[in-house]
Amino acid sequence: MEPLALYIHWPFCLAKCPYCDFNSHVRDRIPQTRFRDALRHELAWEAERLGRRRLTSIFFGGGTPSLMEPDTVAALISDAVRLFNAAEDLEITLEANPTSVEAERFAAFRAAGVNRASIGVQSLHPEALRMLGRQHSASQAIAALEIARATFPRMSFDLIYARPGQTLPAWRDELRQALALAADHLSLYQLTIEPGTQFATLHQRGDIVLPAADEAAALYVATAEEAARYGLQAYEVSNYARPGSESRHNLTYWRYGDYAGIGPGAHGRLDAVATRRHRAPEVWAERVERDGHAIVEQTPLESTDRAREMLLMGLRLTEGIDATRFAARTGVALTDALDASVLERAIAEDYLVWRDNRLVATAEGRLRLDALLGALVC
Ligand SMILES: C[S@@+](CC[C@H](N)C(=O)[O-])C[C@H]1O[C@@H](n2cnc3c(N)ncnc32)[C@H](O)[C@@H]1O
Ligand code: SF4
C-alpha cells in the first residue's frame, strides 16, 4: 500500500496579500481553541477510516500556520504519530511568516516536533514587500531566517520574482543575497495573477504589468543558474534543493502518491478518490463538530483522470515520470495517455526525452510546460 502524506490547513492570516488566492481569511480574533479541537476531531475521523497506514510526512500549510498555538501543533503531531504508523524519519514542515512575533515562536514549534520550516519571505526589497502587501520588513525576514536556521534541522523559504518592473540584474542581485541566507531548499515562484485577487483587478486596469514571456523566460533561466552555483538543483519547476533535501511531502504530490488533507478547503487523493473539505472556516468547523468531518466532495477518479493528473504533476519534476509507476497508479500505459504525434514532435524538438524508462521534460520543455501539457495530454 502507498505510504501516506498528511496535509493540515490553517486558514487564518494577519492580512490578505493582494496576489494570494489561497484559502486564507482574516479575523479580529482567531478562534484558536475551536479550530484546535476541530482539526484534532477531523484528523481522528480520517485516521479511523484509513487505518494505521504508514505516514511519511506532515505539512502544516495555510493561510499562516505560524499563527497556530504551538500546543495545537504539538497535539496534532502527537495524534498523527499515535493514529498512523509514523516513519522514523517523519518530515514535519510548518509554513511560517517572518514577522518578529512569529519568529519568537519558532523554538516552541521545534519543541512541538516540527523539523522543517518553510518561510514566506517573498522579497528582500522593501518596496517589493510593500507592493506585495506583506506585514514584515526585509530585516525582519532576514532575522527570522537566521532564527529558523538555528532552530530547525531543515529550512526553506519562498521568494516571488518576475514582479512588475523587475530587471534581470536586479533579480540576480536579490537572488544572490537570498542564496547567501539559504539552507538546503528554496521555492522560487514567478508572480502569477490569480482570478479574484486584488492584483487581478489592478492587472485588468493595466496598473500591474508583468514581464513579457521572453523576459520571464530569461529570469527563469537565470534563477536556475544562480541556484545551481550555490548547490541548489532545480528538482521541480519552482523548487530548488541540495540533493537529498527535496521536500518529501511535496514530492508525494508530484509523484502522485496518496495524501490526506484536513482543515478548511483541504484536498486529498486517497486510493484513487479525490476529496475536498468545505472552504469556509466556520462552516467547516460546524460540520466537523456535527459529523466528524467536513468533506463536501468525494469523487472516484477514473483511469483517464488519474493519468491526466499524474502527467500534470509528474512532468513538473526534473526526474520526470517513471513509466512502470505510471501504469501501476493509473491503469494506463504512459504512451497511451499521450498524443503520439505531439510526443514525437516534442522529443524531436528536445522538449521531452526518455531516460531509463522515464519521460522527462528538459529544461527547455519545463519553460513551456503549460503549452506542452495542453497539447500532449489526451
Ligand atoms: C500558502 S502560500 C503562503 C504561505 C505563508 N502564508 C506566507 O505568505 O508566507 C505559499 C507560497 O505561495 C507563493 N504564492 C502565493 N500566491 C502567489 C502568486 N500569485 N504568485 C506567485 N507565488 C505565489 C508565495 O511565495 C507563498 O509563500
Ligand atoms: S500569501 Fe500567505 S500571508 Fe498572504 S494571504 Fe496568502 S496565505 Fe496569507
Side-chain angles (χ1 to χ4, degrees):
M1 191 175 258
E2 282 277 311
L4 187 70
L6 173 65
Y7 176 79
I8 300 177
H9 190 78
W10 184 258
F12 302 114
C13 292
L14 290 178
K16 183 80 187 171
C17 303
Y19 55 85
C20 174
D21 77 338
F22 284 83
N23 188 26
S24 58
H25 304 262
V26 178
R27 299 285 180 267
D28 290 340
R29 250 190 91 255
I30 296 176
Q32 292 280 356
T33 310
R34 184 178 191 200
F35 276 74
R36 179 196 60 212
D37 294 349
L39 283 170
R40 294 187 71 187
H41 197 157
E42 195 171 50
L43 175 58
W45 183 90
E46 190 73 57
E48 172 77 32
R49 70 174 186 149
L50 290 177
R52 279 181 60 79
R53 291 199 30 180
R54 187 172 158 73
L55 180 69
T56 47
S57 61
I58 303 175
F59 193 102
F60 292 91
T64 306
S66 47
L67 296 176
M68 293 169 87
E69 298 288 358
D71 283 355
T72 301
V73 174
L76 286 161
I77 293 172
S78 72
D79 288 351
V81 168
R82 193 182 65 253
L83 295 165
F84 294 105
N85 172 17
E88 279 197 357
D89 58 350
L90 185 64
E91 177 188 89
I92 307 177
T93 305
L94 181 127
E95 278 183 345
N97 281 27
T99 68
S100 41
V101 178
E102 288 159 280
E104 278 167 18
R105 302 159 99 175
F106 286 177
F109 291 129
R110 176 70 190 116
V114 173
N115 53 28
R116 184 171 180 275
S118 172
I119 301 178
V121 171
Q122 319 310 357
S123 172
L124 294 171
H125 285 177
E127 66 287 8
L129 289 172
R130 259 195 305 279
M131 189 267 297
L132 293 169
R134 301 294 291 177
Q135 302 295 304
H136 55 86
S137 63
S139 55
Q140 279 175 334
I142 292 168
L145 292 178
E146 279 161 5
I147 299 171
R149 278 191 72 142
T151 307
F152 298 100
R154 296 170 65 197
M155 190 268 282
S156 176
F157 62 93
D158 299 349
L159 295 177
I160 296 180
Y161 71 104
R163 304 186 300 256
Q166 192 175 36
T167 63
L168 184 56
W171 169 233
R172 275 196 198 270
D173 253 24
E174 186 179 356
L175 181 55
R176 281 181 196 160
Q177 202 192 334
L179 286 163
L181 298 163
D184 57 343
H185 191 286
L186 278 183
S187 299
L188 304 169
Y189 300 109
Q190 294 210 348
L191 178 63
T192 53
I193 301 296
E194 302 295 343
T197 59
Q198 271 185 50
F199 269 19
T201 313
L202 294 172
H203 186 248
Q204 217 165 21
R205 286 210 302 251
D207 292 342
I208 282 187
V209 180
L210 293 184
D214 58 336
E215 290 169 316
L219 289 165
Y220 184 72
V221 171
T223 302
E225 267 170 30
E226 296 292 340
R229 204 170 293 160
Y230 184 79
L232 299 182
Q233 300 298 331
Y235 70 100
E236 191 269 347
V237 172
S238 307
N239 283 278
Y240 302 79
R242 291 196 194 288
S245 292
E246 298 84 2
S247 157
R248 267 175 255 156
H249 184 85
N250 289 336
L251 278 176
T252 299
Y253 299 152
W254 296 315
R255 289 179 177 156
Y256 209 51
D258 275 1
Y259 59 94
I262 64 159
H267 289 259
R269 285 285 179 286
L270 282 162
D271 305 324
V273 177
T275 58
R276 188 172 60 77
R277 262 74 182 173
H278 203 293
R279 274 175 75 85
E282 287 75 14
V283 180
W284 167 85
E286 265 164 41
R287 298 226 178 158
V288 173
E289 286 154 2
R290 192 187 65 198
D291 303 328
H293 70 91
I295 293 179
V296 287
E297 202 179 298
Q298 275 202 92
T299 316
L301 296 167
E302 302 292 330
S303 292
T304 48
D305 300 327
R306 302 204 295 275
R308 200 169 172 282
E309 289 192 337
M310 191 167 174
L311 278 165
L312 297 188
M313 299 304 264
L315 285 180
R316 300 180 64 85
L317 287 171
T318 310
E319 68 179 23
I321 299 174
D322 179 84
T324 309
R325 179 171 168 81
F326 186 89
R329 292 294 284 162
T330 67
V332 179
L334 182 49
T335 42
D336 291 345
L338 302 169
D339 181 303
S341 66
V342 176
L343 177 62
E344 197 181 320
R345 225 175 46 240
I347 290 174
E349 289 174 14
D350 204 26
Y351 295 145
L352 290 174
V353 297
W354 283 106
R355 205 174 282 151
D356 303 331
N357 197 38
R358 292 176 163 278
L359 184 65
V360 178
T362 61
E364 281 293 305
R366 284 203 301 280
L367 259 178
R368 302 167 173 74
L369 198 55
D370 290 342
L372 192 60
L373 284 165
L376 197 61
V377 178
C378 292

